[in-house]
Amino acid sequence: MSDQDSSSSASQTEGEMEGEMEGEMEGEMEGEIEGEMEGEGDRDDKQRDSTVHSLSSFSSSLRAVIRIKQKYQAMKKRRQEMALGLDGAVTFSGAPARTSPKIFTFDALTPSSIPALSSSVLQRKKRRKRRRVMFPNGGQRRAPPKQEQSRAKYCLYLLCAIVFLQVYNAIENLDDHVLRYDLEGLEKTLRREVFGQQGAVEGLLSHLKDYLSTYVHNKPLVVSLHGPSGVGKSHLGRLLAGHFRSVVGETLVLQYYVLHHCPQEANALQCAGDLSALISGMVERAEEEEKIPLFIFDEAEHMHDEILDALWQLVASKQSNEYLNAIYLFLSNLGHAHITKHMLHNSSSISMTMTASGRHSNLVKELTPILRSTLKKLHSLWTEVDILPLGLLEKGHVMECFLDEMTREGFYPDHTNIERLAGEIEYYPAVGGHEYSQTGCKQVVAKVNLL
């Protein structure tokens, strides 16, 4: 509600109050005057002749007029006091100017002192006061507080950068550790030199990459290659030994031939002790140089139980860290009968379009449980190894062996001569379009030397 509305309401209230008060006073005065006049008329009619009686009547009328006047003045004075208290709180439009001093006070502004104010006016004033927004001195609105940025955010950015650098550095270190062993060069050599065993080569390289990607291990890497005679087990071992000698040194690579280092079974216990001492010295030297040694055991099917027990103690027992950072490679023809039987019986189901890795993955999946159950019966050492079977070689693989050997010996690689030499090798009956060699590439070197 605006100030003009409140002023007009107050003016109307004051006008009504004055009208009522004036009407009341005029009515009382007229009633008393009329009563006095009527009484005076009656007394004049009855006692017209008496002068004393007339004087007494006149004096009583005068006293009544004076009493009415005093009463009127008292009422007027009280009305002025009430109007003065009302003017201190509300300014009435059209009110006459007052010369008396005005005192601002809230004592007179109470519901009892303003009975004529309606309840709606008071409610509107309360609502207006509640809606009023107070601002600080100066008349300017207060700006909303700015949200300050926490300094901890920069610390968080710094922490993320540090973690990123640490992870990146760790990855770089892993790459450096793998690059030390030049596994890419080893892969190229094995793919070029090993024929017909690409699936087994990929599996062996996968084990080496996973193990050599870090220097800290909880167990050594133990891989056992199994396959019939002539499929390339010894050749693969020689290639691995030559490569690791070039990257870690001659002293950290051991090629152990059982028939050469320990031919007599009576010396098996002494051979086991000497082998344990040799391996301990190599792993200690490798720990000092922060390298991983390689131990290759060829013709593992001829190992005596004492030697197997010594190796099992080194592989299975939880020894110090230097014994955990080592690679053991076993080459044997154990379980070759199962491999030969499986390949001959399942050659017809092998698709010609299947890749070498796909054929080898199927071979590992189907033969690993059979080979493991067979090897467990021989010794507990075979329970700690990862088994990789090597399959039979086909006639095409044998021809590649002749080509490589003739090139090494300086013979002209005549294709007709190679086919003639490959035809002299014994083969299993052709099954499903595959013709497998019984001796693999075992006789290739001897036949080339006869040329």
Side-chain angles (χ1 to χ4, degrees), residues 80-81 83-85 87-88 97-105:
Q80 289 177 355
E81 292 176 354
L84 181 61
D87 288 340
R98 300 183 182 276
T99 59
S100 59
K102 299 178 181 179
I103 301 175
F104 183 83
T105 177

Side-chain angles (χ1 to χ4, degrees), residues 1-22 79 82-83 86-98 114 116-118 121 125:
M1 181 184 294
S2 63
D3 294 340
Q4 294 180 359
D5 296 339
S6 61
S7 300
S8 60
S9 301
S11 301
Q12 293 176 2
T13 306
E14 182 181 2
E16 293 176 358
M17 292 172 61
E18 291 179 354
E20 291 178 357
M21 294 171 65
E22 291 177 356
R79 180 175 58 81
M82 294 176 62
L86 184 61
D87 288 340
V90 183
T91 302
F92 299 98
S93 61
R98 300 183 182 276
I114 312 176
L117 290 177
S118 61
V121 176
K125 286 185 177 181

Side-chain angles (χ1 to χ4, degrees), residues 155-213:
C155 296
L156 180 60
Y157 292 156
L158 179 60
L159 179 62
C160 293
I162 292 173
V163 172
F164 173 76
L165 292 177
Q166 292 290 340
V167 173
Y168 180 77
N169 189 24
I171 295 174
E172 289 294 326
N173 291 337
L174 293 179
D175 293 338
D176 294 341
H177 199 266
V178 173
L179 291 175
R180 174 187 296 181
Y181 297 93
D182 190 20
L183 294 182
E184 292 184 359
L186 176 62
E187 181 179 3
K188 293 178 180 178
T189 301
L190 295 181
R191 290 185 182 277
R192 183 179 63 251
E193 300 291 339
V194 179
F195 305 107
Q197 304 295 344
Q198 298 303 318
V201 168
E202 292 179 0
L204 179 61
L205 289 173
S206 177
H207 285 292
L208 292 176
K209 288 179 180 179
D210 293 341
Y211 191 79
L212 296 176
S213 61

Side-chain angles (χ1 to χ4, degrees), residues 141-161:
R141 294 201 173 192
R142 192 173 185 179
K146 296 182 179 179
Q147 186 177 3
E148 297 182 357
Q149 296 182 355
S150 176
R151 295 182 180 179
K153 180 173 64 176
Y154 301 103
C155 296
L156 180 60
Y157 292 156
L158 179 60
L159 179 62
C160 293

